[in-house]
Amino acid sequence: MKKIVVIGSSNIDLIMKMNRLPEKGETVTGAEFFQVYGGKGANQAVAAARAGGNVAFISCVGEDAYASQMIQQFKDNGIDTSFVFRETGMPSGHALIMIGGQGENYISVAPGANDLLGPEKINEALPIINEAEMIVLQYEIPRKTLTHIINIGNEKNIPILWNFAPAQEFDFSYFSRINILVLNETEVGYLAKMQVENEDEAENAAKTLIERGVEKVIITRGAEGAFVLTEHEKVRISSYRVDAVDTTAAGDTFCGALAVALIEGSSLKHALEFASAAAAISVTRLGRNPRFLLDLK
């Protein structure tokens, strides 16, 4: 079975669900509190596994009470954890998340052990990377590690799907080495250095990335759907209408499901529809799919 190798972050998410998000300097009471496993890398790995993919995950967790539970939950989802590294003297990554009544959110992340996922650990994980039909990346691990992975993927002719989130500075010369770049409107605007507030502006921004050598640029637009742009075509889909409860991991779910559909040989349109359906399901559930509630017993 074709293997997807997800390389990225693992976090503990501390979540407050409230009727509305606070304004600057305001305290909102009456929230519900949850602790769940997250991290964009972990979310995408779990999403890909639950979508039927054969998934290996490369990540770093810390020396804390959560680490063993996280690794076991990955295993319970059928994920190969041979190269989920345990770091001593360092906590696992943590995220603080506030979710409002319509599923909107504020998020802040303390990377913890994720910052220790360096190039040397990627070299240790080469046996599993060599089996990959696709590498899936995000941007919650060190920049030098990402450049190293991109170089390896290119040398071994392994397609790279990169969810450029959260958007940060990066060497633009590497974008010509990316097969599939997944962005929301904020991220594509950041990369293209232009304002993006609608689909036409998003398409113009995506075109600048195609001109820089990216093979496929996929723009996710939430309730407005998604589209993929290549040098020769644009394929657009509408979103599935659902009542959103928690949008936190929707983009990660989209990416994990998209990777599965693509390596199984789906057309671009079908792959987008499959990924969009998975993301739509994920936002109807608080702290689940792909994230999963901690067992606090």
Side-chain angles (χ1 to χ4, degrees), residues 218-222 224-228 235-239 254 272:
I218 295 173
I219 307 297
T220 59
R221 305 187 62 237
E224 302 303 318
F227 67 87
V228 58
V235 178
R236 187 189 185 284
I237 63 159
S238 299
S239 65
F254 182 96
L272 287 179

Side-chain angles (χ1 to χ4, degrees), residues 16-32 98-101 106:
M16 290 281 190
K17 176 76 165 89
M18 56 200 70
N19 290 331
R20 63 177 180 85
L21 295 174
E23 301 293 334
K24 182 178 179 180
E26 181 188 17
T27 298
V28 174
T29 61
E32 296 179 81
M98 289 190 289
I99 302 169
Y106 295 148

Side-chain angles (χ1 to χ4, degrees), residues 116-155:
L116 299 183
L117 187 62
E120 71 286 350
K121 288 188 168 60
I122 302 305
N123 291 339
E124 285 185 53
L126 281 175
I128 203 75
I129 293 173
N130 288 334
E131 299 178 16
E133 292 285 335
M134 178 176 285
I135 295 171
V136 177
L137 302 175
Q138 323 78 36
Y139 205 163
E140 288 185 333
I141 57 176
R143 189 177 309 165
K144 63 183 179 180
T145 306
L146 289 166
T147 58
H148 187 61
I149 296 165
I150 292 167
N151 288 334
I152 290 172
N154 280 228
E155 290 167 6

